[in-house]
Each structure stands twice: as structure tokens, then as C-alpha cells.
Amino acid sequence: MAIGGAVTTGRKARWALVDIIVVVYALVPVLWIVSLSFKTKETLADGNFIPREWTFQNYADIFATDEFIRPLINSLGISIIATLIAVVLGMMAAYAIARLDFPGKKALVGVSLLIAMFPQISLVTPLFNIERQLGLFDTWPGLILPYITFALPLAIYTLSAFFREIPWELEKAAKMDGATPGQAFWKVIAPLAAPGVFTTAILVFIFCWNDFLFAISLTSTEASRTVPAALSFFTGASQFEDPTGTISAAAVVITIPIIIFVLFFQRRIVAGLTSGAVKG
Amino acid sequence: MAEIVLDKVTKRYPDGALAVSEMDIEIADGEFVILVGPSGCGKSTALNMIAGLEDISSGELRIDGARANEKAPKDRDIAMVFQSYALYPHMSVRENMAFPLRLAKVDDATVRSKVEEAAEILDLTQHLDRRPSNLSGGQRQRVAMGRAIVRSPKAFLMDEPLSNLDAKLRGQMRTSVSKLQRQLGTTTVYVTHDQTEAMTLGDRVVVLRGGIVQQIGSPQFLYDHPANLFVAGFIGSPSMNFVPATLEDGSLKSPLGTITLTDRVRRLAEAANAPREVVAGLRPEHFEDAALMEESHRQSGSTFTATVDVLESMGAEKYAYFTVEEELATTAELEELAADAGSADVPGTGSTIVTRLSASSEAREGRPLDVWFDPDRIQLFDPSNGANLTYSG
């Protein structure tokens, strides 16, 4: 037992060490940004990890100007709308892919995979021209549309994996119990796919929220500029002022919705919801 | 309550595979009919076609006299119990059972009383608020039954509902399914691959092989008068022994010795134009230890002597296994039965004769034993097509 115990303690110590390294590696840059956002302008470049002088001035500054508030509203609006549309369309497509045999199914899956792999940068110039022609440039739909396009493959892939897990017989049972195909889907399949839907929603939302490339290329004013793009336009009060503090504060603020989003939906992503449906 | 008629119902898949071929069955109102056969015989496909979960390629399905081929499952008013139970995991037992009623827009008070009534019948009252994942296999099975009976459908379809239960529970549930069906008097079609369920549950049994109906009849009739080799081998446990034999002037040369046929058997065989080479079938229960027979009785039958290979004492009876010198009869039908039972893969089982003896038999393993049998019980089959040459139905 003693030897066994020693082995377990050794193992635990090794794992703890690995865990700590990973967490530190991931969190140091985040904590650094947080630290910068609380520093005063004078101490900004002093190299201290923990600010010697704490201030909320940077946060007060960003919320005092339209330069930040307006893009924040754009970001929230565009990301939520794009997420909703992508998840609803993705659900229908994924259900069809998981359940039905239709002509062109392989082609559809192939094309969606192709889109997911397509380098987005190569589409920026054509999109820029197309959107200017169509009058979509610098509007909400101008960003929502490309976001949906690139989020759909992700949504379809994640959701079809979840749909495939749901026993086929449940749907047959619903039909026998008198459900129309629509009722079978909304009353039986959709509730069971809920964890998958929420997981997908989180992934799509994060993709839209974090996007910088389309946001900087397809917008020109605060009418539709999202926060990641707006951050790059931050300036200090004068040419000689360093905007690092305010950029850091804004970066911290835009991380918060993601954290809230994940925490809110995490409780609904309960694994093993389907257990007990069929003899397993 | 309904009468279900299958009129030359055929299922052909797009790839050309024929799952069910021209099935003709008339199921009377309130009847309990079993579809039985080895896996892949088309019994589940037939059930799914009655349910409406699979299209009918040709032929007609009539429920209460009205053509139902094109009706959606929900419009057929038929309830189904699935092998996997298919309970809705996100709903409680009560919600599961109420689901068909809710879809039918039944008012709350009626839903409540009907669910509680069904729960009472199935002894589920104390589990109504639990989730399916917290129930045992037997309880889940009962919930699936409950969901079927709450809305008093025209008919029940059951797709191997007991095959996921352990042996003891299966026996108990078999009795309660039978009782429930008598109590409700609802037309029931029950699919199983288990011949014991087929024998004990049904008013009538339909034996299927490769999508073709082999025989339809009451369990006892199928046991006594199998139409062919396949039915003879499928019905009865342990299954019938088959040996190759030669017909010669009213007597039968077989590995069990030369047997003088009774007049009844001889006349039937002659009427059927029996070929010289036949397959003789004898059920294990038609053998007896010759030492236990009274002399006069013993004279009326045939006796052979062989060495007991294996003796299984079940308490109430004994099973003695013998090896015969010659190869046992093999035909396509018998090979299919062996493959289904998995015995084709077990070496040495091919040439064994099984006999059921009284518990008082003094048979010993490795010792020779005189075994008596009644030649009037012999059934003769045509090895070319499996037809029963002594069929007297």
C-alpha cells in the first residue's frame, strides 16, 4: 500500500505541475491586460505586474465616449442575430444530414467543409466590392451575412453530430403516438438536441464576437463597426497620449459577454440527457 | 378494436432486396397474432408496414375494411411498443404516457384519469414522476406498454418487446402481456424471434422465412402439423431431430434402425407421392427410455440402442444426447435454422440426436441405452423442397 500511495502522490504532483503550467501559460496575458487596464498613465510602462497605483479612470474614459459604446451595441446586435440565424438554419440542415437520404447530401457536406477551410482573407476584397455595389457596406447585414456563411459549416457539423446521437426510434415512437413530423421534431428531437444547440450557439457567438478581419474591412463608420475593429481606432486625448490603458480596459470589457454567455449556457449543456431513452 | 388484413403485401427495397413477399394475413378483431422467424425474415418490416413507418411496395393493407397504405402513422390509430422501448428521456413517466393523449388534444382531466388508470393496471403508480433513466428495464418496458394502452388504440404492434429483459423477468412479463391483451381485448400483432413467446402468447402464429409466409396456425397446430421442414425445426424446444432415411416397401431405413411405418403415416406418404430418399423428423419428447416402458406398450413402438454422450438432468426430466453414425440430414432450411441458432459454429452438434426422457430414467453418460419411440409420431419431409409428406392438416 505504501508503494501504491507513493506512486499516487507522485502522479498527483506531476499532474498538478502540468495543470499549473497550462493555466499560467493561458492566463498570464489575460491578467496582464487586466493589470494594464487598472494602471494610471504614468505607471503604464513601469513593468510591474501588479499596479502600484490603482485607477478606474480607463473604464470611466471608454464609457464616456461613443467611440466604445456604439461599437459595443453593434457587436452585441450583430453577433446575436448572426448566431440565431446560423443556429436555426444549422439545425434544419444538420437534421436533414443526420436523418434523411437525399440527392446531393455528400456534395452539401463537402461544400460546407470547403467553406470552413476557405481562407477568409481571400474573400475580403470581393466581398468589399460586392457589398459596396449592393449598398450593404458598413451596415449590420453587411457583417451578419458573411458571419452566417462562415458559422454555418461549424453549426452544421456540431449539430449533426448531436442529432446522430438521438435514437431514431424516438422519432418513430412519436409518429406512432400521433405526432406530425413537425411535432416529432419540436417536442421530442429538439429538446434532446438542446445541449448541442447551446454548444453550437456558444461557438458561433464567439466566432462572430471575436472576428476582426471582416469587421475592419467591411465597415467604415460607427454605424456598424464592432468592438474588435473599433479598438484599433482608439486614440488618446492628444497625439502624444498613449491609448494603451483605454484599449486594455475595452479589451477586458468585451471579454465579459463571452464569459457570461458561456456561464449562462454551461448549465444547460448537460451530458447524457438522452440516457434512459432506449436500453443502453 | 380493429380487423387488419394484409393482402399480398410486398416490400421491395430500392436496391432490389425483397424483404416481404406477397404476405396474406387476416387478423380478426381482438386476435393476438405472432409473427415469428429468424433474424432477417421480414417480420419487423411487416410490422413497420402495418404501422406506417415503412411504405408498402405493392399489395394492400386494410384496417377495418378501409385501405390504409397511404395513411400516415398518426392517422392509423395504432400504438406500437418498440424493442428499445423508445421512451422520451426528457419527460417523466407520467408525461411519457400522457404524450399520445396530449397530441390528440385530450383535456387535462381525462389525460390525468387515463394515465392513472393505465399506471394502475401496469403497477407504475409510484413511479409516475420519475424519469425513464431512473427506472429498471422491466419498469421501462411497462412504461412503453402504458404509453401504448392509454389512448385505447385500434391495435397494438409489439416489436420484440421483451427481448431486452433478462430471462426471469421475460417469463413474468410474458404472462402479464398475455393477461393485459385478454383484459383489453385489443387486436395485437407481436413480433418475436423466440419460439417460446410465439407458442405461449399467440392465438395464431405466422412463421416467416426470407419474407415468405411458411405457415399460419394456432401454436398447437403448428407443433403437431408443421407444413414444412422449416416450421418443424423452428417450433418446439429443443427442436425436432432430423435424420436422412430411405423409404422401402412401407418401412423406413434410418440411422435409428429400420422402422416399420404405421398405416397412417404410410398412407399419408403414399398420397403425397413421397420420394425414396426422405428426411425423417422426430421430436425429443417422443422418445422414452425403453426400460421404463411396459412390455405391451413397448411392442407397439420401435427401439434403438445407442451410447449416451451427454445427459442433462433438469429435475423434472432428463435430456439424453446421442451421436448417430451417419451424417444428419442437411437441407437449406435446416442450415438456415442452425445458422440462426448459432449452432452451425459449434463443432460436433451437427450429428446429435436429442431425446427427452423421464426423470426416473437410469441413463448414464457413456453407457448404452435402449431408447423407445412411437413410429406413428414420425414426420417425413421431402429433402428437395422441405414439404411435409405426412402433413394431415
Side-chain angles (χ1 to χ4, degrees):
Chain A
M1 268 326 280
I3 296 166
V7 169
T8 350
T9 320
R11 267 174 63 99
K12 269 188 188 161
R14 273 207 306 279
W15 275 110
L17 188 70
V18 172
D19 290 346
I20 289 166
I21 290 171
V22 170
V23 169
V24 166
Y25 177 80
L27 279 186
V28 160
V30 179
L31 292 176
W32 205 313
I33 280 279
V34 174
S35 146
L36 282 176
S37 73
F38 285 114
K39 282 183 176 177
T40 59
K41 290 192 175 59
E42 293 71 36
T43 58
L44 205 56
D46 63 358
N48 270 336
F49 191 70
I50 295 160
R52 275 182 300 178
E53 259 183 87
W54 291 78
T55 174
F56 283 98
Q57 191 54 46
N58 292 322
Y59 290 91
D61 282 350
I62 58 165
F63 281 109
T65 145
D66 255 6
E67 247 183 289
F68 181 71
I69 305 231
R70 181 65 207 174
L72 191 63
I73 294 166
N74 289 339
S75 262
L76 280 172
I78 290 170
S79 302
I80 289 173
I81 293 171
T83 304
L84 277 178
I85 297 176
V87 168
V88 170
L89 289 180
M91 257 172 96
M92 297 183 193
Y95 179 79
I97 286 170
R99 282 282 191 266
L100 309 175
D101 250 331
F102 55 90
K105 178 169 154 179
K106 281 208 172 112
L108 177 72
V109 176
V111 166
S112 69
L113 190 65
L114 198 72
I115 293 171
M117 294 189 299
F118 212 83
Q120 300 177 357
I121 188 76
S122 61
L123 283 179
V124 165
T125 315
L127 271 178
F128 177 74
N129 283 323
I130 292 168
E131 294 208 345
R132 274 202 316 174
Q133 295 286 325
L134 295 175
L136 285 173
F137 182 73
D138 199 27
T139 60
W140 278 23
L143 279 182
I144 290 173
L145 285 174
Y147 285 172
I148 292 173
T149 311
F150 281 97
L152 259 182
L154 177 77
I156 291 173
Y157 263 79
T158 326
L159 284 168
S160 61
F162 274 92
F163 278 130
R164 237 166 281 166
E165 290 294 305
I166 298 173
W168 193 197
E169 290 205 325
L170 286 180
E171 215 179 320
K172 289 191 193 169
K175 279 190 195 166
M176 292 309 297
D177 283 345
T180 62
Q183 284 173 320
F185 182 78
W186 288 112
K187 295 194 177 205
V188 175
I189 304 301
L192 294 175
V197 173
F198 291 120
T199 311
T200 312
I202 290 176
L203 293 173
V204 171
F205 183 82
I206 292 174
F207 163 77
C208 301
W209 185 259
N210 285 347
D211 174 74
F212 178 70
L213 184 66
F214 291 127
I216 196 90
S217 318
L218 302 177
T219 61
S220 60
T221 67
E222 279 167 9
S224 64
R225 191 178 281 152
T226 60
V227 176
L231 278 186
S232 67
F233 286 97
F234 267 25
T235 52
S238 75
Q239 197 183 340
F240 306 103
E241 219 170 276
D242 187 0
T244 309
T246 43
I247 289 178
S248 308
V252 171
V253 170
I254 64 161
T255 323
I256 291 169
I258 298 250
I259 294 174
I260 292 174
F261 206 80
V262 171
L263 288 182
F264 178 67
F265 282 136
Q266 198 182 30
R267 312 182 57 175
R268 321 198 73 157
I269 307 170
V270 187
L273 195 69
T274 56
S275 68
V278 297
K279 207 228 172 200
Chain B
M1 303 277 172
E3 179 194 59
I4 300 171
V5 177
L6 284 83
D7 186 1
K8 297 215 178 338
V9 166
T10 299
K11 176 73 190 181
R12 189 182 289 279
Y13 285 106
D15 62 1
L18 193 66
V20 173
S21 171
E22 302 210 332
M23 184 182 268
D24 282 317
I25 308 175
E26 284 181 24
I27 301 163
D29 185 21
E31 199 177 13
F32 198 148
V33 166
I34 313 273
L35 302 184
V36 70
S39 38
C41 72
K43 54 193 193 294
S44 290
T45 311
L47 196 74
N48 283 337
M49 285 194 290
I50 299 175
L53 296 171
E54 286 200 53
D55 294 332
I56 295 168
S57 309
S58 68
E60 192 172 68
L61 169 73
R62 289 190 292 274
I63 299 173
D64 270 344
R67 181 180 164 95
N69 288 36
E70 289 79 23
K71 276 192 182 174
K74 71 182 185 67
D75 301 322
R76 297 191 187 192
D77 193 18
I78 285 174
M80 187 156 170
V81 178
F82 292 84
Q83 182 177 6
S84 65
Y85 315 143
L87 302 180
Y88 310 123
H90 57 298
M91 300 181 191
S92 67
V93 170
R94 184 191 299 278
E95 288 162 341
N96 261 286
M97 285 167 51
F99 189 68
L101 298 174
R102 297 253 181 247
L103 288 173
K105 306 252 188 300
V106 175
D107 64 278
D108 281 357
T110 319
V111 170
R112 180 175 293 273
S113 72
K114 286 211 168 189
V115 167
E116 264 155 28
E117 192 188 339
E120 187 87 20
I121 294 171
L122 293 161
D123 195 16
L124 284 168
T125 310
Q126 69 273 37
H127 304 302
L128 275 177
D129 295 311
R130 293 169 73 188
R131 289 284 171 99
S133 52
N134 300 328
L135 299 178
S136 71
Q139 287 163 345
R140 285 182 202 179
Q141 209 282 331
R142 297 209 300 274
V143 177
M145 301 282 293
R147 199 172 58 185
I149 67 173
V150 274
R151 68 191 163 110
S152 319
K154 280 184 182 169
F156 295 136
L157 305 181
M158 304 195 187
D159 189 1
E160 308 211 16
L162 306 181
S163 61
N164 276 338
L165 301 175
D166 61 55
K168 195 174 169 201
L169 201 54
R170 192 156 54 215
Q172 291 170 2
M173 282 308 293
R174 204 168 62 208
T175 327
S176 48
V177 167
S178 178
K179 251 200 313 214
L180 190 67
Q181 201 271 344
R182 302 244 179 287
Q183 202 176 332
L184 301 170
T186 307
T187 314
T188 304
V189 184
Y190 186 108
V191 160
T192 181
H193 64 265
D194 178 9
Q195 68 90 29
T196 317
E197 278 176 27
M199 291 297 282
T200 51
L201 282 174
D203 295 325
R204 277 196 303 159
V205 176
V206 179
V207 182
L208 285 167
R209 170 176 174 246
I212 297 167
V213 175
Q214 302 291 306
Q215 195 174 4
I216 304 179
S218 72
Q220 191 62 45
F221 185 82
L222 260 52
Y223 176 86
D224 290 332
H225 307 285
N228 59 36
L229 208 48
F230 183 82
V231 178
F234 194 84
I235 301 291
S237 171
S239 46
M240 194 184 259
N241 298 297
F242 296 105
V243 290
T246 314
L247 266 178
E248 243 170 45
D249 336 312
S251 65
L252 193 68
K253 276 197 178 148
S254 80
L256 305 179
T258 303
I259 305 158
T260 314
L261 292 176
T262 58
D263 289 347
R264 186 188 72 88
V265 175
R266 194 164 52 219
R267 268 199 301 276
L268 286 169
E270 275 166 12
N273 270 329
R276 231 174 90 82
E277 301 295 329
V278 294
V279 173
L282 256 176
R283 294 201 180 273
E285 45 274 37
H286 296 149
F287 292 90
E288 187 50 281
D289 185 345
L292 299 175
M293 307 293 297
E294 279 174 42
E295 192 59 33
S296 60
H297 199 168
R298 191 173 164 171
Q299 292 302 329
S300 68
S302 297
T303 311
F304 73 96
T305 308
T307 308
V308 179
D309 282 338
V310 176
L311 187 76
E312 290 174 350
S313 187
M314 311 297 282
E317 64 221 5
K318 283 178 177 166
Y319 289 112
Y321 294 75
F322 301 92
T323 310
V324 291
E325 302 289 317
E326 283 166 70
E327 270 295 294
L328 282 189
T330 49
T331 68
E333 288 91 343
L334 294 179
E335 273 168 20
E336 191 180 326
L337 283 171
D340 185 58
S343 63
D345 305 328
V346 185
T349 53
S351 52
T352 303
I353 297 267
V354 187
T355 62
R356 198 176 84 181
L357 310 176
S358 300
S360 50
S361 165
E362 285 177 4
R364 296 262 179 81
E365 279 181 21
R367 292 273 191 81
L369 183 76
D370 288 340
V371 183
W372 175 91
F373 61 90
D374 181 355
D376 197 44
R377 296 285 199 170
I378 287 183
Q379 315 228 20
L380 300 177
F381 300 90
D382 186 337
S384 63
N385 59 13
N388 189 346
L389 301 165
T390 46
Y391 183 73
S392 58

